[in-house]
Amino acid sequence: MKDLVAVDKNWGIGKNNDLLIRIPEDVKFFKEETTGNIVFMGKNTLDSLPGGRPLKNRLNIVLTSKDIKDENIVVVHSVQEALKEIGKYNPDRVYNIGGAQIFREMLDYVEYSLITKIEAEFDADVYYPNLDKLDNWEVIEESEEREYEGIKYKFLIYRNKNFKR
Ligand SMILES: NC(=O)c1ccc[n+]([C@@H]2O[C@H](COP(=O)([O-])OP(=O)(O)OC[C@H]3O[C@@H](n4cnc5c(N)ncnc54)[C@H](OP(=O)(O)O)[C@@H]3O)[C@@H](O)[C@H]2O)c1
């Protein structure tokens, strides 16, 4: 499983259950990576999607303590149940798309994190773990710097050297 996340300078990822910014190239990257694959998310992130609806052309797995009646969503109620469900698929095809709580809970089970690092500071209320401070995470790929409306950003791939299978 891979995390797919956009972070700001302070590793902030959202505010008021919405994203901090939408960078078109990043939105495109998200779509290209996930389409035809499996997306795993927490209930708040599901609620933050347009109309609170699952993403089209992807298998949506949602972690919640509640019940969701939606034939397009596979509902799981615990981390263990989530891992069992996710384990049915090729790990290369499974994307953990957040949010903050889910990223924290699943971090040990994630081998790669595809991070869009935005070189700006936003007023965030939820954060991704700062991987630069964790010994077991290393940067294995880093793109050139890009810019959108004066905001610089990069695509990075981090690898978890001792993730749990
Ligand atoms: N920048 C990015 O790339 C990015 C990506 C994704 C999300 N975000 C942002 O992140 C924010 C949402 O993150 P969040 O931390 O508030 O929420 P979240 O991680 O999306 O979802 C949290 C919810 O998931 C359920 N849950 C989590 N762990 C559970 C467990 N062990 N068992 C059962 N249910 C569990 C609970 O839902 P119930 O209350 O229904 O039980 C919980 O309230 C938004 O601002 C969103 O825009 C940013």
Side-chain angles (χ1 to χ4, degrees), residues 11 33 35 38 41 47-48 56 60 65 81 85-86 92 95 121 141 144 161 164-165:
W11 297 79
E33 284 284 329
T35 298
I38 295 102
M41 73 194 90
D47 291 342
S48 78
K56 290 199 181 92
N60 289 246
S65 59
E81 198 186 333
E85 187 61 33
I86 288 165
D92 288 346
Y95 292 84
E121 286 182 80
E141 269 184 55
E144 286 170 16
K161 289 184 266 182
K164 294 183 190 162
R165 277 164 210 278

Side-chain angles (χ1 to χ4, degrees), residues 2 4 28-37 95 114:
K2 309 173 211 181
L4 196 47
K28 188 167 166 251
F29 177 66
F30 179 95
K31 197 173 173 189
E32 283 173 0
E33 284 284 329
T34 58
T35 298
N37 289 318
Y95 292 84
L114 313 190

Side-chain angles (χ1 to χ4, degrees), residues 4-7 12-20 26 41-46 48 63-66 76-79 97-105 125-126:
L4 196 47
V5 64
V7 306
I13 64 166
K15 172 95 193 261
N16 298 331
N17 212 36
D18 199 1
L19 297 175
L20 299 173
D26 187 41
M41 73 194 90
K43 177 65 164 62
N44 293 352
T45 294
L46 173 68
S48 78
L63 179 55
T64 175
S65 59
K66 313 205 175 72
V76 289
H77 293 110
S78 67
V79 168
I97 63 162
Q101 200 181 327
I102 265 49
F103 285 136
R104 276 197 303 276
E105 286 180 285
D125 61 14
V126 279

Side-chain angles (χ1 to χ4, degrees), residues 44-86:
N44 293 352
T45 294
L46 173 68
D47 291 342
S48 78
L49 299 176
R53 304 281 307 124
L55 294 170
K56 290 199 181 92
N57 306 318
R58 281 149 277 200
L59 176 75
N60 289 246
I61 303 173
V62 175
L63 179 55
T64 175
S65 59
K66 313 205 175 72
D67 281 325
I68 304 174
K69 300 255 175 295
D70 187 322
E71 59 180 23
N72 295 309
I73 296 175
V74 176
V75 179
V76 289
H77 293 110
S78 67
V79 168
Q80 283 315 312
E81 198 186 333
L83 291 170
K84 199 174 159 198
E85 187 61 33
I86 288 165

Side-chain angles (χ1 to χ4, degrees), residues 82-137:
L83 291 170
K84 199 174 159 198
E85 187 61 33
I86 288 165
K88 294 179 182 171
Y89 305 94
N90 177 344
D92 288 346
R93 293 187 56 214
V94 183
Y95 292 84
N96 177 11
I97 63 162
Q101 200 181 327
I102 265 49
F103 285 136
R104 276 197 303 276
E105 286 180 285
M106 304 302 285
L107 197 63
D108 288 347
Y109 306 101
V110 166
E111 185 171 13
Y112 297 101
S113 183
L114 313 190
I115 298 192
T116 307
K117 218 174 242 180
I118 303 161
E119 283 306 312
E121 286 182 80
F122 294 90
D123 181 18
D125 61 14
V126 279
Y127 295 83
Y128 188 81
N130 180 343
L131 300 186
D132 293 330
K133 289 195 174 158
L134 300 177
D135 290 342
N136 55 314
W137 285 89

